[in-house]
Structures are given as C-alpha cells and as structure tokens.
C-alpha cells in the first residue's frame, strides 16, 4: 500500500490479517478476542491510523436510544430489571426502547439485526433460549450488546449472569436443614436456559443429599401460576405420598402452588414447605409470605446498564467483553416456617 | 393572493382566519375544535389545496416509534396498561419508547416538546398532575397524543378516562351495605388528579350516607405501602376509635394497611374491612385477598393504543378529539368478607 494514503479499515484489516468486520468492531469499541484486538491496534498504530475521527463521526449518528428486550414485561423479574435500568439510562441521556418478544427467538434475532439500522445505540437483552442464530447475530451485531443470562461463549458480548444452580442448592440445603426429605420440584420449560439449569441442579442436589425423588413429584410446565397449581393437584391426586416440601422454579409457580395447597386443605409450612425463586415483589405480599431465592434481578439490571453505558462512554477504550456474576441469596419467610432471614451463603463458604 | 400559486399552509391560515399552527394540526389529522376544523377545511377546499401530498411527505418521515410516558413504571397500574399497549403497537409495526417521569411535570413537558424533534410518531401519556404548561404543550404539540386521565379541556387531545368518583361511591355503598359506619380513608397526594377526585368523592359519599368521619381517620401521603402502614399505626395510636372499614386510594396503600393491621393484631375483615383501588395483580395475591375497585387499567391502555393507532392510520380522516370513559367495577374478595363477586354497577343503575 502507498505510504501517503490514509489508512482505512480495509488496509488495517490487510495489515492485521483479520476481517474488516473485526477491525470495525475494535475501532468501534465492541468486544473481540484479546488477540484480535492486539493485532488490529498494532496494525492501526503502524499505519498511523487516527481513530478519533471515526469515533467522532459515529458519535454524531447516535440515536440517544437504548433498547431493552425481554420475554414478557409482565413478568416481575423483568420489571425489577427495568426499574433499575430506566433511571440509569435516563440520567445518561438515553431513551429506553422496550421490546417484549414473547420468547420468540425469531423476534429476538430481528431485534439484534435491527441494531444495524441504527434505531438504538445499544441493547440489553435477556434471551431465555440461546440459539445458534442468537450467537451468529451476536458475533455480527453492529452496536454494543449486553446479555443478561448465561452464554455458551464468553467472548461474544458483555454479560451479566447469576448462579441459579447455586441458588437451587441453597434452597435444598435450607429444606433438608428443616428435616424435609420428600422434596418435589415444579419447573418451567426445561429447554430454556433457566429451566435447564434449575432441573440439572435439582437432580444433582437431591442425589448429593441422598434424597429419593418419588415418581410424579417432578413437574414441568411454564413459568406461571397455572403450572404451579396444576402440578400440586396432580401430586395430590397421584399415587405417591404428597411431598413435604416443594421447590418451585420461580415465584409465579410457587404462588400457584400456594393457592392449590390452600384449596386442598394442606397447611403451609406445616404439611408442605414452599420455596420460590426470583424473590419478586409478590413473594413478600403473598400469604404466607414466600421463602424465595433472590437471583438479584435488580442488581443484574443495574449492572447491565452500567456495562452498556461504559461501552458507550466518550473515553471508552474497552474491547474485551466483560462478564459479571451476581450471587444468589436465600430470603427465608413464613412459607418454610422461618423468621425473616437472608442467607447470602457467606457462612456456607 | 394570486390564483395560479399553489395554496400553502400560510395562505390557508390567512383565508381561514386561524393560526398556521391550527392549519398544520388539521392537515396532520390532529385534534382541534370543530369550528376551527370547519374553517380550515373550507379554506383548503376553496383554494384547491390537495392534502395528500403533505400527508405522504409526513408519512415518509415516520419513526415507527410510539412513546408511552407514566409516572413510575414500577406501579402495577401502569404495568397493566403497558402489557396491553405493547403488543398492540408491536402488531402495528411500532417500537415502544418508555418514559418513567417520576411525576416530574418538567420532564413530562420535555416529553411532549420532544415530539417536535420527531423521535416518535405519537405519544400516550398518563399525567398525574395536569399543569397549565401541560395544556399549553398539548395545544402546540406536533404529533398525535392520547392522554389517559382526566383533562380540564375536552378539545385538546384524544382522551381515555375512568370515573374514579363513581368507583369510590361503589366502595362506600359496599362497606355501608356490610353495616360498616366508621369508615377511614387513606389517600395519596390530594394535589394530583386521582388524589383530588378520590378525596372529593369520599367527602361527598360519606356526607350523602350520613356517616360521621372522625378526626384522625383521614390520612394523606403517597400512593405507596408505607403510607398505608403509617396511617393505620397513627389511627391505632390516636384518640378516635379504630375505623371498622378503610377505603384506600390504591392497592399499594391497602397492602401496607393490611400489614399494619396484622401487626396490630386486628382481624381483617372481622375488626376492619379493607378496600383498595385499581385491582392490580397484587390484590388477588395478598392475604386476605383484597376487595378492590377496578378502574380498568388494562382496558384503558388498550383503548389508548387503539385511539392512537387510528389517528396514525393510513386513511384516518379524524380531526375532532375523541374521549372514552371506562366504567369502574367493584371486585369483592375476602378483605371485606365477601365471596368473589364482581359488581359492575349494572344493578345499581
């Protein structure tokens, strides 16, 4: 290449031996592998590339909008995230574009692809199923994205996750500590990221504790109240003895279970202790108040907003994607007979 | 003016004897007074104005975004609206931009004014205080707006309202029908549109029923749980006998009251019957389940979305603003001792 011509993305890509897309991602501050970043920056340096001009021109095209995409904004978990995200974005001068996708993977793909049309400067997305198409779009996407939830590949995007397996373990330890041995499990769809993690953790945790799981005491449905109620009625009508404790994969399932247990004349926690997950606003309001594993929805929302705002920041020289994990906490209430106690696992190590 | 020149907004305004802004509003299908509309359309007709060209050029500048502005998206009333609005907008090809304004009038004014920068094609707004600035902006705004809530002037915008005074009456009739005579009232801020309406209706309704309202049994605070709890503790510690029923201006206040009554050892509904307003998701989950006046949040959200989409529609030839009222319904649950019954007021006429 001629020494007098200004370096371009194409000439940098040639010099670095990487794709044009990778150069674009590095220069735009998007996540890439560390090795790719090093090669691009070395080549840009060698060629005398001045990145600020591009950065300035990109900045002028900003929409001052950030998108937030969730499965169902009616779910209190996502509302808890939204309540943290919205004021942080507002304070930073961004409008919030809300997508409620109905867990439709095709629609989530459209949301990711739509960022190419520059309707938003960045995206926070909570996919409950991560397909190959999600991963391909995350690799190609032209704006910063923060994923809340587990990703199979750490290098793709900024990522905020929780450890729901550890949360299931905390709930099981709590129930066995109360002397409960016949623990039933009511899950959402096991083909979702959260459903799969909870199912695996329940299987491993009960095996480790030497608990027999009776036939007909593990149910799978949706993450809703109807699933909880239906599962309780099936267990009560089934041949196995009623479990003396129920672990529910979220609070909505647990609330449905509480309703059904009441309608069956079963006492909570006398006959059956009940634990939910997510520690939503509903847990404290329900009767009896619901013991629940907090998966830090509010914290996860706030962290995701901060990661995205960092990346959109004026002097952001980030490129490696970052991952943050929020630890679960067990919030003990009357549905397991406890006084109000928060176990953050610090004693258990 | 020369007969051969094409009529413009300015020449139409001169011929009609109205402002340029009024002509712009009529030609863009925005609400104006019927008389103004008639004069503009007459003048446009006389001058041979062809409105479709303008309509077409406006259409090409569309953002495919609609904004929804509420006080606090954490309030389940607004969430109930959002859950209806979001899928309707999505189905019509619009993204939803969410504003949670913290009831800050200045911020609501900014949202209205911001429509002039064409970041959204229309706005659904739920102001809890309507200031003179709100009204001035509604008169000047350059995009369709639907207001959910009462407006002092019918001619300003499409409007979806409820009759919360009638809702208060239904609750009072229910409580007096149960033999309750010492009815306390816990309100949100009385300087808000909903707080003022409920306060007036409580005063008028108790007077009409010949009920004495004891000193210290009417409290005002915010529309939150703390307000409900604090008011109950003050009544219990005060000199007047504890009311035998509490009307709470929303469900959050009622939930706080239920907690405080339980902590005081008072039975609901044995000692004190409790009624909330809004009939949110929390009402059915609480213990005892809460009798509540439904103000049709979900219906109001859906109607607002339909009014706005009508106005943005391809062949919309609307100009007079429309107003729709959603009637309240009383949903009776255990907190007033009732079996589950819905009173839609049809028997009472």
């Amino acid at each position: 290449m001629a020494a007098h011509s200004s370096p371009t993305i194409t000439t940098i890509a040639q010099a670095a031996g990487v794709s044009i897309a990778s150069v674009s991602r590095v220069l735009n501050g998007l996540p890439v592998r560390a090795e790719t970043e090093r090669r691009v920056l070395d080549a840009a340096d060698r060629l005398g590339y001045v990145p600020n001009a591009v950065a300035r021109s990109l900045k002028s095209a900003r929409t001052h909008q950030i998108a937030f995409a969730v499965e169902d904004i009616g779910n209190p978990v996502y509302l808890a995230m939204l309540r943290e995200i919205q004021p942080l974005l507002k304070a930073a001068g961004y409008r919030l574009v809300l997508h409620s996708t109905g867990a439709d993977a095709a629609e989530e793909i459209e949301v990711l692809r739509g960022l190419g049309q520059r309707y938003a400067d960045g995206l926070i997305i909570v996919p409950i199923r991560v397909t190959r198409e999600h991963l391909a779009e995350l690799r190609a996407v032209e704006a910063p994205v923060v994923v809340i939830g587990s990703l199979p590949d750490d290098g793709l995007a900024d990522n905020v996750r929780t450890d729901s397996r550890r949360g299931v373990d905390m709930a099981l330890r709590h129930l066995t500590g109360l002397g409960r041995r016949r623990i039933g499990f009511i899950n959402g769809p096991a083909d979702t990221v959260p459903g799969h993690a909870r199912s695996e953790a329940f299987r491993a945790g009960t095996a480790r504790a030497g608990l027999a799981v009776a036939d007909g005491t593990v149910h799978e449905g949706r993450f809703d109240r109807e699933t909880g109620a239906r599962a309780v009625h099936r267990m009560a009508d089934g041949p196995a003895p009623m479990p003396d404790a129920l672990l529910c994969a979220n609070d909505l399932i647990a609330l449905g279970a509480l309703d059904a247990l009441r309608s069956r004349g079963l006492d909570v926690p006398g006959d059956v202790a009940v634990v939910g997950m997510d520690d939503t606003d509903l847990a404290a309001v329900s009767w009896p108040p619901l013991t629940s594993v907090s998966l830090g929805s509010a914290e996860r929302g706030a962290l995701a907003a901060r990661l995205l705002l960092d990346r959109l920041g004026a002097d952001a020289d980030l490129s490696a994607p970052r991952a943050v994990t929020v630890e679960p906490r067990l919030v003990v209430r009357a549905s397991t007979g406890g006084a109000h106690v928060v176990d953050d696992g610090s004693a258990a190590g």
Side-chain angles (χ1 to χ4, degrees), chain A residues 276-341:
Chain A
M277 295 188 79
D278 290 332
D279 193 35
T280 60
D281 286 354
L282 299 170
V285 170
S286 88
W287 190 259
L290 183 67
T291 294
S292 188
V293 177
S294 166
L295 298 172
S297 308
E299 294 96 314
R300 282 186 288 156
L303 281 167
R306 292 212 183 89
L307 288 181
L308 190 57
L309 291 172
D310 277 359
R311 211 167 270 290
L312 293 167
D315 49 13
D317 56 353
L318 310 159
S319 40
R322 293 162 302 166
V324 189
T325 299
V326 175
E327 290 299 323
R329 292 173 307 130
L330 182 72
V331 183
V332 176
R333 299 192 181 88
S335 72
T336 57
H340 187 87
V341 172

Side-chain angles (χ1 to χ4, degrees), chain A residues 101 103-112 125-129 134:
Chain A
T101 63
D104 178 354
E107 194 173 324
E108 291 178 352
I109 300 302
E110 273 312 300
V111 167
L112 282 162
I125 186 166
V126 198
I128 72 162
R129 289 182 184 82
H134 281 91

